[in-house]
Amino acid sequence: MSSKSTQQSKLLSLRNLIRVAGVVIVLGLLLIELLPITSAGIGPLQWIGIGVGVCLFLVSFMSLEVNFGLLTGVIATLITLLVIEGGLAVAGYEPDYTWDILQESTQPQARLPYWTCEPDSGCRYIQEQIPESSCEGETADSRLERVCLVNEQGFPDDDNFVVSADLESADYRVMLLGDSFTWGAIADVGSSYAEVLQAELSEQSNTVVWNFGIPGTGTTQALSLAQEFMPIMNPDLVILGFYSNDFYENLFPLDLYERFDVEESPWVYAYVLAEDGVVRLSDQNIYLAYLGRKASTNNVERLLRLTRFGSLLVNAWQSVINSGEEDIDAIEPTQSLLATLQETVEANGAELLILHIPDYEDMATETETYTWLTDIVTELAIPRVDVIDYLEQSDYIPPPDGHWNNSGHEIVGRLLATCVLQLLESGAVCEAQN
């Protein structure tokens, strides 16, 4: 056989190899999605691979004056990516996104109609938007029990927050600020610490208590509400219920959360901390966060997250970046807000009192955030009611919930009532204060 024939035979074999490689790549990337453990759909890496496989198959019919070194590199790369993607599929690793999820996230998403969270006025419920069918009769929704009792301003109180004869004739006026603990989460209606406090004070004095507690809010909201409603109520005492997660929530604007009009109505963070400060997520990313997916700020990253290998690479890269960041200073923003709240309260002729709410873990060992608040209020000389020695873990709903049950609320409500009366009537510091 001549050398020319031998060369043509080798080129023909290479042509067939390219042709077979193209077919194998296409079939492999299609069939990998038929594995029982995979259900995420064909992502862009698979589509690109299929496209390249088809191109290789077509190239095999063209002139052999081709840079086969380049083709060999493309084939090797595609096969490597195919093996990695297949290995991740077999291992059960799923991509962060699917085409369906991305498409769904671009559609307008209905927000909870009876909830508003504005960057200027803060968060509250909208009384007139609460569905009556969910609050009355046998069809009442137990999840909305406390929501159905909000006043006209959207807060958990029997009174509307306006000037009235009862407010004018009261011996003392007390404003309660805080988050879900102050709102009364988990407690039966009538059993929250705010309701116990109101009942105890009413038995011993003519005291009006207005409860401004709203779940998922921090000191930023407390300051905003104090500025809005103190001129109306003219309180003698302002009590701020402070919980450990307030340190984190105080890093963000008032409209920190979004809530969707779905059965469970979850709370979704609308902001993230980035290198250039606090950034609000797009509506698409907020919805992806609601689905438990990663937020992506550019289209390239979204495409990569449609594949298993791309998701792995992006997440690994972000972990490397985040590991090099310095810890965020969560203390200074809260200290500044508390100092401003103290100045606002005193400028309106009232006194500020901090109800220090320990979390479930504090019952075993005081956490870092518990110490942070202790140090801050000591430095600012703000009176503090410390209830940690009066509670046990049995007074909490165990994590992941972590709120007080009825017994925890009752203990705190009674203790706080004693401290409030002593403070209002004689200026004395009760046993739980320091």
Side-chain angles (χ1 to χ4, degrees):
M1 181 180 292
S2 67
S3 59
K4 183 176 181 180
S5 298
T6 302
Q7 184 178 9
Q8 288 180 339
S9 177
K10 289 181 178 179
L11 290 176
L12 182 61
S13 297
L14 184 57
R15 183 200 297 267
N16 291 333
L17 177 62
I18 294 172
R19 188 175 301 167
V20 170
V23 173
V24 169
I25 290 173
V26 172
L27 291 178
L29 288 171
L30 287 173
L31 294 176
I32 193 173
E33 293 302 326
L34 298 180
L35 293 174
I37 61 172
T38 62
S39 59
I42 299 177
L45 182 59
Q46 284 94 332
W47 284 117
I48 292 172
I50 291 170
V52 172
V54 171
C55 289
L56 288 175
F57 184 79
L58 295 176
V59 163
S60 68
F61 292 96
M62 299 169 62
S63 169
L64 292 179
E65 295 178 0
V66 181
N67 189 334
F68 287 108
L70 177 61
L71 285 178
T72 302
V74 171
I75 294 172
T77 300
L78 257 296
I79 292 176
T80 301
L81 292 176
L82 172 61
V83 170
I84 294 175
E85 190 78 1
L88 291 174
V90 172
Y93 189 95
E94 294 292 349
D96 292 330
Y97 300 155
T98 65
W99 285 113
D100 290 343
I101 285 177
L102 279 187
Q103 179 62 30
E104 183 180 350
S105 68
T106 61
Q107 306 305 310
Q109 306 297 331
R111 268 40 174 193
L112 196 66
Y114 52 85
W115 169 260
T116 181
C117 222
E118 302 295 336
D120 297 324
S121 58
C123 304
R124 62 196 71 185
Y125 290 88
I126 306 172
Q127 185 192 60
E128 59 268 23
Q129 295 294 331
I130 299 171
E132 293 183 6
S133 60
S134 299
C135 297
E136 299 176 353
E138 296 180 358
T139 59
D141 189 340
S142 60
R143 297 169 302 168
L144 293 178
E145 186 174 15
R146 194 171 291 278
V147 175
C148 291
L149 301 177
V150 299
N151 61 14
E152 291 180 0
Q153 288 74 34
F155 297 96
D157 202 287
D158 294 333
D159 299 322
N160 288 317
F161 296 158
V162 295
V163 175
S164 65
D166 290 339
L167 182 63
E168 293 287 355
S169 63
D171 295 328
Y172 304 110
R173 307 173 189 186
V174 177
M175 172 182 280
L176 289 182
L177 303 170
D179 57 11
S180 54
F181 280 86
T182 304
W183 160 265
I186 302 302
D188 294 332
V189 171
S191 298
S192 71
Y193 88 78
E195 291 162 327
V196 172
L197 172 65
Q198 171 73 82
E200 290 285 313
L201 293 179
S202 296
E203 288 182 2
Q204 304 177 58
S205 65
N206 181 17
T207 301
V208 171
V209 178
W210 281 2
N211 184 1
F212 291 87
I214 288 291
T217 60
T219 314
T220 310
Q221 161 116 345
L223 176 59
S224 175
L225 293 178
Q227 293 168 338
E228 180 180 354
F229 287 99
M230 283 191 73
I232 299 173
M233 188 188 195
N234 292 316
D236 302 289
L237 181 64
V238 176
I239 303 174
L240 171 64
F242 190 99
Y243 186 61
S244 59
N245 64 356
D246 291 347
F247 280 104
Y248 182 72
E249 291 175 342
N250 289 340
L251 299 173
F252 299 95
L254 286 167
D255 59 335
L256 170 58
Y257 293 101
E258 287 281 1
R259 300 182 69 182
F260 294 99
D261 189 14
V262 293
E263 184 175 351
E264 296 182 359
S265 185
W267 303 73
V268 181
Y269 280 115
Y271 290 87
V272 293
L273 293 172
E275 294 181 2
D276 52 348
V278 177
V279 177
R280 184 173 176 85
L281 296 173
S282 65
D283 281 356
Q284 182 181 20
N285 274 323
I286 290 173
Y287 186 71
L288 288 172
Y290 152 67
L291 295 176
R293 305 287 172 161
K294 308 277 187 177
S296 294
T297 56
N298 60 74
N299 290 327
V300 173
E301 186 176 308
R302 289 192 183 96
L303 288 175
L304 287 173
R305 287 190 185 279
L306 281 163
T307 69
R308 298 172 179 83
F309 186 43
S311 298
L312 183 65
L313 287 179
V314 172
N315 293 332
W317 173 247
Q318 290 186 345
S319 297
V320 170
I321 294 176
N322 293 335
S323 66
E325 294 180 353
E326 296 181 358
D327 291 335
I328 300 169
D329 181 7
I331 299 177
E332 193 281 329
T334 291
Q335 182 161 353
S336 177
L337 284 167
L338 287 175
T340 304
L341 178 61
Q342 182 183 30
E343 293 172 0
T344 301
V345 170
E346 292 177 350
N348 283 270
E351 185 169 359
L352 177 63
L353 177 67
I354 302 292
L355 170 61
H356 195 166
I357 301 174
D359 63 27
Y360 184 85
E361 286 73 20
D362 289 323
M363 295 296 99
T365 303
E366 292 182 8
T367 59
E368 185 178 46
T369 52
Y370 191 88
T371 303
W372 287 353
L373 183 63
T374 303
D375 294 341
I376 289 173
V377 297
T378 299
E379 182 176 339
L380 296 176
I382 302 174
R384 175 177 66 105
V385 176
D386 189 349
V387 298
I388 194 169
D389 292 333
Y390 298 83
L391 295 168
E392 298 178 357
Q393 286 189 335
S394 59
D395 297 313
Y396 288 75
I397 305 295
D401 186 280
H403 288 96
W404 290 324
N405 54 30
N406 284 350
S407 69
H409 276 279
E410 182 174 357
I411 290 170
V412 174
R414 292 182 182 277
L415 180 64
L416 188 57
T418 300
C419 293
V420 166
L421 278 177
Q422 289 185 17
L423 193 61
L424 289 174
E425 293 179 348
S426 64
V429 177
C430 78
E431 187 177 313
Q433 290 177 291
N434 49 37

